[in-house]
Amino acid sequence: MATKQVLAELIDLYRQSHPETEIALESVGGVDAAKRVQAGEAFDVVALASDAIEKLAASGHLVGDSRVNMVRSAVAIAIPAGAPRPDISTEVALKATVLAAPALGYSTGPSGVQLTKLFERWGIAAQIAPRIVTPPPGVSVGSLVAKGEVMLGFQQLSEMTGVPGIEVIGGLPEAVQIVTTFSAGVATTSTQPEAARALLGFLASPATAAIKQRHGMQPA
């Protein structure tokens, strides 16, 4: 879901120069997307976090040499609009803020996995476990923050940008920042592999940099 908006805009741009190419974009949670590909559902292109793409390629669900890295996306932190801004300026300050938060939220995606490891390294995972709210696949952490169900939300910046009712207070401190690379590849079920490769070449091209940056991402 982190790439939903940026992919939609990039595909619209691609259509302008390739009007003969019909492209249908479907965005679902990463876990669900991987399961559907593994189940044999037919797709031409699959876009997911790079580790998930690697697993699908290794299991024969993606054409091995077709992978491209599209974007790099950092984790941001959000609070309900109008709430007091906590200190997240250093690793020590962020740890204290996490310990003080009455409810924390992060996704089941790659950023959530890395956050879990960070909390375990800090030795606070068990202490904060009862206060963690995990949204179901396809539901953004930002929406839970906006409702007040989560007072400190962690998710890719692209999924936080433009969500009403929240304030993005910054990214994680440099020492513990989590950056996810999102990649794409041609599915082995593709009936249009050459057209799929052409689209992938565009998604990884320098011509897409400005759109990616506008969505809080960096070219990979």
Side-chain angles (χ1 to χ4, degrees):
M1 297 301 292
T3 59
K4 178 180 180 179
Q5 297 302 325
V6 69
L7 278 177
E9 193 168 334
L10 290 173
I11 287 174
D12 282 344
L13 180 61
Y14 187 76
R15 287 191 183 109
Q16 293 175 20
S17 56
H18 298 78
E20 74 289 352
T21 302
E22 295 185 11
I23 305 171
L25 173 65
E26 184 175 358
S27 295
V28 298
V31 174
D32 289 342
K35 287 181 178 178
R36 290 172 62 178
V37 174
Q38 291 166 339
E41 191 170 340
F43 296 100
D44 291 298
V45 170
V46 182
L48 287 166
S50 59
D51 59 341
I53 290 293
E54 289 174 4
K55 291 176 182 177
L56 290 174
S59 62
H61 292 93
L62 296 181
V63 178
D65 66 347
S66 67
R67 169 182 166 173
V68 299
N69 293 330
M70 299 185 300
V71 293
R72 298 172 68 250
S73 180
V75 169
I77 303 173
I79 59 174
R85 291 175 62 99
D87 186 359
I88 60 168
S89 59
T90 66
E91 182 176 357
V92 172
L94 176 60
K95 180 179 177 181
T97 292
V98 168
L99 284 170
L104 305 105
Y106 55 82
S107 72
T108 56
S111 61
V113 172
Q114 293 302 314
L115 278 167
T116 299
K117 292 179 180 178
L118 175 62
F119 298 151
E120 289 172 350
R121 179 165 65 81
W122 283 348
I124 65 172
Q127 185 176 349
I128 66 174
R131 293 182 273 131
I132 292 175
V133 179
T134 304
V139 176
S140 71
V141 172
S143 67
L144 301 184
V145 175
K147 295 175 183 176
E149 296 176 18
V150 167
M151 300 306 293
L152 194 68
F154 299 82
Q155 200 160 35
Q156 307 292 335
L157 176 58
S158 61
E159 294 184 76
M160 297 283 200
T161 303
V163 176
I166 73 172
E167 181 182 359
V168 177
I169 58 174
L172 276 65
E174 187 65 31
V176 293
Q177 178 57 282
I178 296 169
V179 178
T180 300
T181 297
F182 288 92
S183 307
V186 178
T188 53
T189 55
S190 175
T191 59
Q192 306 176 79
E194 293 308 313
R197 285 180 182 271
L199 175 60
L200 290 178
F202 169 78
L203 294 177
S205 71
T208 63
I211 291 176
K212 293 170 182 177
Q213 290 166 351
R214 189 163 66 249
H215 286 273
M217 297 180 166
Q218 296 297 321

